Amino acid sequence: ELTLAQLTQKYGKPSAVSQRAVQNAYGAASNAMLAKWDFPALSVTFDSITHSLDIGEVLIDLPEASRMRDEWAKQQDTGKAL
């Protein structure tokens, strides 16, 4: 993945990396990669697949925004909306 390689070149080895299986509505399957770099004043998150198999995202957050985003994601996973 070109984007992951470029981010690793810029920020070094990610603090955390995980993969998950994804599938679109037509049955096409792929593996999505999530990588995160945590620094004292900055957090960078790369998700290789978000809303469709050809769309990913890079988020650059301040620590507080990253914490709030993580809390929101956990609540979405458990079905508890804010």
Side-chain angles (χ1 to χ4, degrees), residues 3-30:
T3 304
L4 179 61
Q6 290 174 330
L7 289 168
T8 300
Q9 182 178 4
K10 181 169 183 71
Y11 296 110
K13 183 179 176 182
S15 306
V17 177
S18 62
Q19 290 189 352
R20 68 186 187 284
V22 295
Q23 184 175 343
N24 69 10
Y26 301 104
S30 187

PDB file of all heavy atoms in Angstrom, residues 3-30:
ATOM      1  N   THR A   3       0.152   4.477   0.292  1.00  0.00           N
ATOM      2  CA  THR A   3      -0.118   5.484   1.327  1.00  0.00           C
ATOM      3  C   THR A   3       0.516   5.084   2.658  1.00  0.00           C
ATOM      4  O   THR A   3       1.136   5.913   3.329  1.00  0.00           O
ATOM      5  CB  THR A   3      -1.630   5.693   1.502  1.00  0.00           C
ATOM      6  OG1 THR A   3      -2.192   6.049   0.243  1.00  0.00           O
ATOM      7  CG2 THR A   3      -1.929   6.774   2.520  1.00  0.00           C
ATOM      8  N   LEU A   4       0.386   3.819   3.029  1.00  0.00           N
ATOM      9  CA  LEU A   4       0.996   3.344   4.276  1.00  0.00           C
ATOM     10  C   LEU A   4       2.515   3.500   4.217  1.00  0.00           C
ATOM     11  O   LEU A   4       3.130   3.941   5.193  1.00  0.00           O
ATOM     12  CB  LEU A   4       0.608   1.894   4.550  1.00  0.00           C
ATOM     13  CG  LEU A   4       1.206   1.286   5.819  1.00  0.00           C
ATOM     14  CD1 LEU A   4       0.757   2.058   7.050  1.00  0.00           C
ATOM     15  CD2 LEU A   4       0.819  -0.181   5.922  1.00  0.00           C
ATOM     16  N   ALA A   5       3.122   3.177   3.097  1.00  0.00           N
ATOM     17  CA  ALA A   5       4.573   3.319   2.949  1.00  0.00           C
ATOM     18  C   ALA A   5       4.999   4.778   3.085  1.00  0.00           C
ATOM     19  O   ALA A   5       6.006   5.081   3.744  1.00  0.00           O
ATOM     20  CB  ALA A   5       5.012   2.751   1.606  1.00  0.00           C
ATOM     21  N   GLN A   6       4.240   5.691   2.490  1.00  0.00           N
ATOM     22  CA  GLN A   6       4.579   7.110   2.578  1.00  0.00           C
ATOM     23  C   GLN A   6       4.422   7.637   4.002  1.00  0.00           C
ATOM     24  O   GLN A   6       5.255   8.414   4.475  1.00  0.00           O
ATOM     25  CB  GLN A   6       3.722   7.911   1.616  1.00  0.00           C
ATOM     26  CG  GLN A   6       4.077   7.662   0.170  1.00  0.00           C
ATOM     27  CD  GLN A   6       3.134   8.357  -0.799  1.00  0.00           C
ATOM     28  OE1 GLN A   6       1.969   8.561  -0.504  1.00  0.00           O
ATOM     29  NE2 GLN A   6       3.652   8.709  -1.968  1.00  0.00           N
ATOM     30  N   LEU A   7       3.363   7.214   4.675  1.00  0.00           N
ATOM     31  CA  LEU A   7       3.166   7.649   6.060  1.00  0.00           C
ATOM     32  C   LEU A   7       4.258   7.084   6.969  1.00  0.00           C
ATOM     33  O   LEU A   7       4.747   7.771   7.867  1.00  0.00           O
ATOM     34  CB  LEU A   7       1.783   7.234   6.558  1.00  0.00           C
ATOM     35  CG  LEU A   7       0.615   7.998   5.949  1.00  0.00           C
ATOM     36  CD1 LEU A   7      -0.708   7.315   6.291  1.00  0.00           C
ATOM     37  CD2 LEU A   7       0.602   9.439   6.409  1.00  0.00           C
ATOM     38  N   THR A   8       4.648   5.842   6.736  1.00  0.00           N
ATOM     39  CA  THR A   8       5.713   5.227   7.527  1.00  0.00           C
ATOM     40  C   THR A   8       7.042   5.934   7.274  1.00  0.00           C
ATOM     41  O   THR A   8       7.825   6.142   8.206  1.00  0.00           O
ATOM     42  CB  THR A   8       5.825   3.723   7.206  1.00  0.00           C
ATOM     43  OG1 THR A   8       4.570   3.102   7.514  1.00  0.00           O
ATOM     44  CG2 THR A   8       6.920   3.057   8.015  1.00  0.00           C
ATOM     45  N   GLN A   9       7.288   6.332   6.053  1.00  0.00           N
ATOM     46  CA  GLN A   9       8.507   7.082   5.743  1.00  0.00           C
ATOM     47  C   GLN A   9       8.516   8.421   6.480  1.00  0.00           C
ATOM     48  O   GLN A   9       9.538   8.844   7.007  1.00  0.00           O
ATOM     49  CB  GLN A   9       8.616   7.309   4.245  1.00  0.00           C
ATOM     50  CG  GLN A   9       9.878   8.032   3.831  1.00  0.00           C
ATOM     51  CD  GLN A   9       9.977   8.202   2.313  1.00  0.00           C
ATOM     52  OE1 GLN A   9       9.072   7.837   1.574  1.00  0.00           O
ATOM     53  NE2 GLN A   9      11.069   8.770   1.859  1.00  0.00           N
ATOM     54  N   LYS A  10       7.360   9.076   6.559  1.00  0.00           N
ATOM     55  CA  LYS A  10       7.273  10.388   7.207  1.00  0.00           C
ATOM     56  C   LYS A  10       7.269  10.300   8.732  1.00  0.00           C
ATOM     57  O   LYS A  10       7.950  11.062   9.404  1.00  0.00           O
ATOM     58  CB  LYS A  10       6.023  11.124   6.735  1.00  0.00           C
ATOM     59  CG  LYS A  10       5.878  12.518   7.341  1.00  0.00           C
ATOM     60  CD  LYS A  10       4.803  13.296   6.662  1.00  0.00           C
ATOM     61  CE  LYS A  10       4.683  14.696   7.202  1.00  0.00           C
ATOM     62  NZ  LYS A  10       5.775  15.578   6.842  1.00  0.00           N
ATOM     63  N   TYR A  11       6.480   9.337   9.295  1.00  0.00           N
ATOM     64  CA  TYR A  11       6.261   9.290  10.747  1.00  0.00           C
ATOM     65  C   TYR A  11       6.965   8.138  11.450  1.00  0.00           C
ATOM     66  O   TYR A  11       6.909   8.037  12.665  1.00  0.00           O
ATOM     67  CB  TYR A  11       4.757   9.204  11.040  1.00  0.00           C
ATOM     68  CG  TYR A  11       4.004  10.430  10.587  1.00  0.00           C
ATOM     69  CD1 TYR A  11       3.137  10.373   9.505  1.00  0.00           C
ATOM     70  CD2 TYR A  11       4.165  11.649  11.232  1.00  0.00           C
ATOM     71  CE1 TYR A  11       2.445  11.499   9.083  1.00  0.00           C
ATOM     72  CE2 TYR A  11       3.479  12.782  10.819  1.00  0.00           C
ATOM     73  CZ  TYR A  11       2.619  12.694   9.737  1.00  0.00           C
ATOM     74  OH  TYR A  11       1.943  13.807   9.318  1.00  0.00           O
ATOM     75  N   GLY A  12       7.606   7.243  10.699  1.00  0.00           N
ATOM     76  CA  GLY A  12       8.262   6.091  11.319  1.00  0.00           C
ATOM     77  C   GLY A  12       7.289   4.934  11.465  1.00  0.00           C
ATOM     78  O   GLY A  12       6.182   4.941  10.921  1.00  0.00           O
ATOM     79  N   LYS A  13       7.709   3.935  12.220  1.00  0.00           N
ATOM     80  CA  LYS A  13       6.884   2.749  12.432  1.00  0.00           C
ATOM     81  C   LYS A  13       5.603   3.121  13.190  1.00  0.00           C
ATOM     82  O   LYS A  13       5.663   3.852  14.179  1.00  0.00           O
ATOM     83  CB  LYS A  13       7.679   1.710  13.222  1.00  0.00           C
ATOM     84  CG  LYS A  13       6.964   0.420  13.432  1.00  0.00           C
ATOM     85  CD  LYS A  13       7.825  -0.566  14.202  1.00  0.00           C
ATOM     86  CE  LYS A  13       7.029  -1.824  14.475  1.00  0.00           C
ATOM     87  NZ  LYS A  13       7.812  -2.791  15.256  1.00  0.00           N
ATOM     88  N   PRO A  14       4.441   2.616  12.752  1.00  0.00           N
ATOM     89  CA  PRO A  14       3.185   2.940  13.445  1.00  0.00           C
ATOM     90  C   PRO A  14       3.174   2.436  14.893  1.00  0.00           C
ATOM     91  O   PRO A  14       3.801   1.418  15.205  1.00  0.00           O
ATOM     92  CB  PRO A  14       2.119   2.207  12.629  1.00  0.00           C
ATOM     93  CG  PRO A  14       2.745   1.902  11.317  1.00  0.00           C
ATOM     94  CD  PRO A  14       4.208   1.774  11.571  1.00  0.00           C
ATOM     95  N   SER A  15       2.466   3.139  15.746  1.00  0.00           N
ATOM     96  CA  SER A  15       2.284   2.712  17.139  1.00  0.00           C
ATOM     97  C   SER A  15       1.425   1.460  17.219  1.00  0.00           C
ATOM     98  O   SER A  15       1.603   0.634  18.110  1.00  0.00           O
ATOM     99  CB  SER A  15       1.613   3.824  17.951  1.00  0.00           C
ATOM    100  OG  SER A  15       2.318   5.028  17.824  1.00  0.00           O
ATOM    101  N   ALA A  16       0.478   1.335  16.291  1.00  0.00           N
ATOM    102  CA  ALA A  16      -0.427   0.176  16.260  1.00  0.00           C
ATOM    103  C   ALA A  16      -0.847  -0.087  14.820  1.00  0.00           C
ATOM    104  O   ALA A  16      -1.041   0.838  14.041  1.00  0.00           O
ATOM    105  CB  ALA A  16      -1.653   0.437  17.126  1.00  0.00           C
ATOM    106  N   VAL A  17      -0.982  -1.374  14.486  1.00  0.00           N
ATOM    107  CA  VAL A  17      -1.447  -1.797  13.165  1.00  0.00           C
ATOM    108  C   VAL A  17      -2.410  -2.955  13.352  1.00  0.00           C
ATOM    109  O   VAL A  17      -2.154  -3.853  14.150  1.00  0.00           O
ATOM    110  CB  VAL A  17      -0.271  -2.258  12.269  1.00  0.00           C
ATOM    111  CG1 VAL A  17      -0.778  -2.767  10.932  1.00  0.00           C
ATOM    112  CG2 VAL A  17       0.742  -1.151  12.071  1.00  0.00           C
ATOM    113  N   SER A  18      -3.526  -2.912  12.639  1.00  0.00           N
ATOM    114  CA  SER A  18      -4.472  -4.035  12.683  1.00  0.00           C
ATOM    115  C   SER A  18      -5.088  -4.203  11.297  1.00  0.00           C
ATOM    116  O   SER A  18      -5.035  -3.307  10.463  1.00  0.00           O
ATOM    117  CB  SER A  18      -5.557  -3.806  13.730  1.00  0.00           C
ATOM    118  OG  SER A  18      -6.317  -2.661  13.416  1.00  0.00           O
ATOM    119  N   GLN A  19      -5.655  -5.383  11.070  1.00  0.00           N
ATOM    120  CA  GLN A  19      -6.340  -5.667   9.814  1.00  0.00           C
ATOM    121  C   GLN A  19      -7.721  -6.207  10.124  1.00  0.00           C
ATOM    122  O   GLN A  19      -7.947  -6.798  11.180  1.00  0.00           O
ATOM    123  CB  GLN A  19      -5.568  -6.690   8.990  1.00  0.00           C
ATOM    124  CG  GLN A  19      -4.282  -6.165   8.421  1.00  0.00           C
ATOM    125  CD  GLN A  19      -3.655  -7.146   7.437  1.00  0.00           C
ATOM    126  OE1 GLN A  19      -4.091  -8.269   7.286  1.00  0.00           O
ATOM    127  NE2 GLN A  19      -2.619  -6.698   6.761  1.00  0.00           N
ATOM    128  N   ARG A  20      -8.639  -5.997   9.174  1.00  0.00           N
ATOM    129  CA  ARG A  20      -9.984  -6.546   9.312  1.00  0.00           C
ATOM    130  C   ARG A  20     -10.494  -6.929   7.927  1.00  0.00           C
ATOM    131  O   ARG A  20     -10.117  -6.316   6.924  1.00  0.00           O
ATOM    132  CB  ARG A  20     -10.927  -5.546   9.978  1.00  0.00           C
ATOM    133  CG  ARG A  20     -11.246  -4.327   9.156  1.00  0.00           C
ATOM    134  CD  ARG A  20     -12.080  -3.305   9.929  1.00  0.00           C
ATOM    135  NE  ARG A  20     -12.508  -2.215   9.086  1.00  0.00           N
ATOM    136  CZ  ARG A  20     -11.746  -1.222   8.680  1.00  0.00           C
ATOM    137  NH1 ARG A  20     -10.487  -1.166   9.033  1.00  0.00           N
ATOM    138  NH2 ARG A  20     -12.246  -0.269   7.913  1.00  0.00           N
ATOM    139  N   ALA A  21     -11.305  -7.970   7.885  1.00  0.00           N
ATOM    140  CA  ALA A  21     -11.909  -8.394   6.624  1.00  0.00           C
ATOM    141  C   ALA A  21     -13.100  -7.497   6.323  1.00  0.00           C
ATOM    142  O   ALA A  21     -13.885  -7.175   7.217  1.00  0.00           O
ATOM    143  CB  ALA A  21     -12.356  -9.845   6.718  1.00  0.00           C
ATOM    144  N   VAL A  22     -13.227  -7.071   5.075  1.00  0.00           N
ATOM    145  CA  VAL A  22     -14.359  -6.242   4.636  1.00  0.00           C
ATOM    146  C   VAL A  22     -14.937  -6.831   3.362  1.00  0.00           C
ATOM    147  O   VAL A  22     -14.270  -7.561   2.632  1.00  0.00           O
ATOM    148  CB  VAL A  22     -13.942  -4.771   4.414  1.00  0.00           C
ATOM    149  CG1 VAL A  22     -13.522  -4.112   5.719  1.00  0.00           C
ATOM    150  CG2 VAL A  22     -12.831  -4.661   3.384  1.00  0.00           C
ATOM    151  N   GLN A  23     -16.190  -6.509   3.121  1.00  0.00           N
ATOM    152  CA  GLN A  23     -16.882  -7.000   1.924  1.00  0.00           C
ATOM    153  C   GLN A  23     -17.865  -5.940   1.467  1.00  0.00           C
ATOM    154  O   GLN A  23     -18.546  -5.320   2.286  1.00  0.00           O
ATOM    155  CB  GLN A  23     -17.617  -8.297   2.260  1.00  0.00           C
ATOM    156  CG  GLN A  23     -18.294  -8.949   1.085  1.00  0.00           C
ATOM    157  CD  GLN A  23     -18.892 -10.301   1.459  1.00  0.00           C
ATOM    158  OE1 GLN A  23     -18.556 -10.879   2.476  1.00  0.00           O
ATOM    159  NE2 GLN A  23     -19.776 -10.787   0.624  1.00  0.00           N
ATOM    160  N   ASN A  24     -17.961  -5.740   0.156  1.00  0.00           N
ATOM    161  CA  ASN A  24     -18.923  -4.764  -0.341  1.00  0.00           C
ATOM    162  C   ASN A  24     -20.269  -5.432  -0.614  1.00  0.00           C
ATOM    163  O   ASN A  24     -20.427  -6.641  -0.415  1.00  0.00           O
ATOM    164  CB  ASN A  24     -18.390  -4.013  -1.576  1.00  0.00           C
ATOM    165  CG  ASN A  24     -18.283  -4.883  -2.817  1.00  0.00           C
ATOM    166  OD1 ASN A  24     -18.764  -6.016  -2.867  1.00  0.00           O
ATOM    167  ND2 ASN A  24     -17.643  -4.343  -3.839  1.00  0.00           N
ATOM    168  N   ALA A  25     -21.235  -4.662  -1.062  1.00  0.00           N
ATOM    169  CA  ALA A  25     -22.592  -5.172  -1.282  1.00  0.00           C
ATOM    170  C   ALA A  25     -22.656  -6.219  -2.391  1.00  0.00           C
ATOM    171  O   ALA A  25     -23.599  -7.005  -2.457  1.00  0.00           O
ATOM    172  CB  ALA A  25     -23.532  -4.016  -1.614  1.00  0.00           C
ATOM    173  N   TYR A  26     -21.646  -6.263  -3.254  1.00  0.00           N
ATOM    174  CA  TYR A  26     -21.618  -7.224  -4.360  1.00  0.00           C
ATOM    175  C   TYR A  26     -20.865  -8.500  -4.006  1.00  0.00           C
ATOM    176  O   TYR A  26     -20.724  -9.390  -4.832  1.00  0.00           O
ATOM    177  CB  TYR A  26     -21.003  -6.579  -5.608  1.00  0.00           C
ATOM    178  CG  TYR A  26     -21.766  -5.358  -6.049  1.00  0.00           C
ATOM    179  CD1 TYR A  26     -21.276  -4.090  -5.804  1.00  0.00           C
ATOM    180  CD2 TYR A  26     -23.000  -5.474  -6.686  1.00  0.00           C
ATOM    181  CE1 TYR A  26     -21.976  -2.958  -6.196  1.00  0.00           C
ATOM    182  CE2 TYR A  26     -23.711  -4.350  -7.081  1.00  0.00           C
ATOM    183  CZ  TYR A  26     -23.191  -3.111  -6.834  1.00  0.00           C
ATOM    184  OH  TYR A  26     -23.891  -1.998  -7.220  1.00  0.00           O
ATOM    185  N   GLY A  27     -20.345  -8.562  -2.795  1.00  0.00           N
ATOM    186  CA  GLY A  27     -19.643  -9.754  -2.342  1.00  0.00           C
ATOM    187  C   GLY A  27     -18.136  -9.726  -2.512  1.00  0.00           C
ATOM    188  O   GLY A  27     -17.460 -10.675  -2.122  1.00  0.00           O
ATOM    189  N   ALA A  28     -17.592  -8.664  -3.093  1.00  0.00           N
ATOM    190  CA  ALA A  28     -16.140  -8.567  -3.235  1.00  0.00           C
ATOM    191  C   ALA A  28     -15.518  -8.372  -1.851  1.00  0.00           C
ATOM    192  O   ALA A  28     -15.955  -7.521  -1.080  1.00  0.00           O
ATOM    193  CB  ALA A  28     -15.771  -7.407  -4.156  1.00  0.00           C
ATOM    194  N   ALA A  29     -14.514  -9.167  -1.554  1.00  0.00           N
ATOM    195  CA  ALA A  29     -13.887  -9.125  -0.233  1.00  0.00           C
ATOM    196  C   ALA A  29     -12.462  -8.594  -0.327  1.00  0.00           C
ATOM    197  O   ALA A  29     -11.801  -8.721  -1.365  1.00  0.00           O
ATOM    198  CB  ALA A  29     -13.891 -10.508   0.389  1.00  0.00           C
ATOM    199  N   SER A  30     -12.000  -8.006   0.759  1.00  0.00           N
ATOM    200  CA  SER A  30     -10.639  -7.488   0.830  1.00  0.00           C
ATOM    201  C   SER A  30     -10.258  -7.386   2.302  1.00  0.00           C
ATOM    202  O   SER A  30     -11.099  -7.579   3.187  1.00  0.00           O
ATOM    203  CB  SER A  30     -10.564  -6.114   0.164  1.00  0.00           C
ATOM    204  OG  SER A  30      -9.222  -5.689   0.092  1.00  0.00           O
TER     205      SER A  30
END
